[in-house]
Amino acid sequence: MKRIRLIDIPKISDPDGRGNLSVVEKDILPFSIKRVYYLYDVPSDSTRGGHAHKELQQFLIPLSGSFDVVVDDGHRRKTITLNRPYKGLFIPNGIWRELENFSAGAVCLSLVSAEYSEEDYIREYADFKKYVENN
Ligand code: TYD
């Protein structure tokens, strides 16, 4: 699981108490951003994700609220709670992920390395296990 990691997003606090600003510049990520999408209005009992990507790399930021990210490399599984808008999770290709336990009002921003391609998805866990064994 060594390639999955939390990345600090630089935070600029306003000296006059006008709130915070965080900025994602290309040098903090190990890939270049090709697409941006976001999840919102996710019911607390819903699970998103439930797939792996063959090539796509991803950076998840909890813009608001919190949610859990379950990551699985085919051998080990762990759960990471994202709840700070200045800490994102980098998920490389070849990792199964599930997003769950969304708080009310949670927004998950997703910065990814590729355009949308259904061919890049592995949507069945059994297929993912086979993929890990063969790659
Ligand atoms: P999916 O990636 O399965 O969502 P999640 O992992 O959050 O549960 O995508 C859900 C649907 O949206 C699926 O039908 C594909 C479509 N979709 C696009 O058309 N373009 C996109 O950029 C994304 C991320 C999804």
Side-chain angles (χ1 to χ4, degrees):
M1 293 266 193
K2 59 182 188 299
R3 296 182 305 147
I4 299 166
R5 65 180 194 275
L6 287 165
I7 295 178
D8 288 324
I9 305 166
K11 173 175 156 185
I12 302 166
S13 299
D14 187 82
D16 300 321
R18 297 180 304 147
N20 300 318
L21 181 158
S22 281
V23 55
V24 178
E25 287 200 274
K26 63 177 191 214
D27 57 338
I28 72 164
L29 295 183
F31 63 88
S32 20
I33 299 164
K34 275 269 178 61
R35 178 165 54 109
V36 174
Y37 62 91
Y38 40 98
L39 292 169
Y40 53 97
D41 292 345
V42 181
S44 59
D45 57 355
S46 289
T47 299
R48 303 294 312 220
H51 60 252
H53 286 282
K54 295 172 197 160
E55 298 297 336
L56 180 134
Q57 303 178 73
Q58 183 165 33
F59 186 56
L60 299 176
I61 306 171
L63 283 191
S64 180
S66 68
F67 50 87
D68 293 337
V69 186
V70 179
V71 284
D72 181 328
D73 64 3
H75 304 289
R76 288 196 301 142
R77 182 170 272 241
K78 68 178 176 186
T79 301
I80 297 156
T81 299
L82 294 185
N83 56 11
R84 300 277 180 253
Y86 51 84
K87 250 181 215 307
L89 183 67
F90 168 65
I91 307 178
N93 57 319
I95 300 289
W96 184 267
R97 87 290 309 279
E98 289 161 19
L99 279 66
E100 58 192 24
N101 291 329
F102 282 79
S103 69
V107 179
C108 172
L109 182 69
S110 197
L111 310 178
V112 298
S113 64
E115 288 164 17
Y116 176 74
S117 163
E118 191 56 38
E119 287 71 55
D120 189 61
Y121 281 75
I122 304 169
R123 290 200 181 269
E124 295 294 332
Y125 190 74
D127 294 341
F128 170 65
K129 290 286 280 186
K130 277 185 221 149
Y131 183 83
V132 169
E133 280 163 24
N134 297 327
N135 285 276

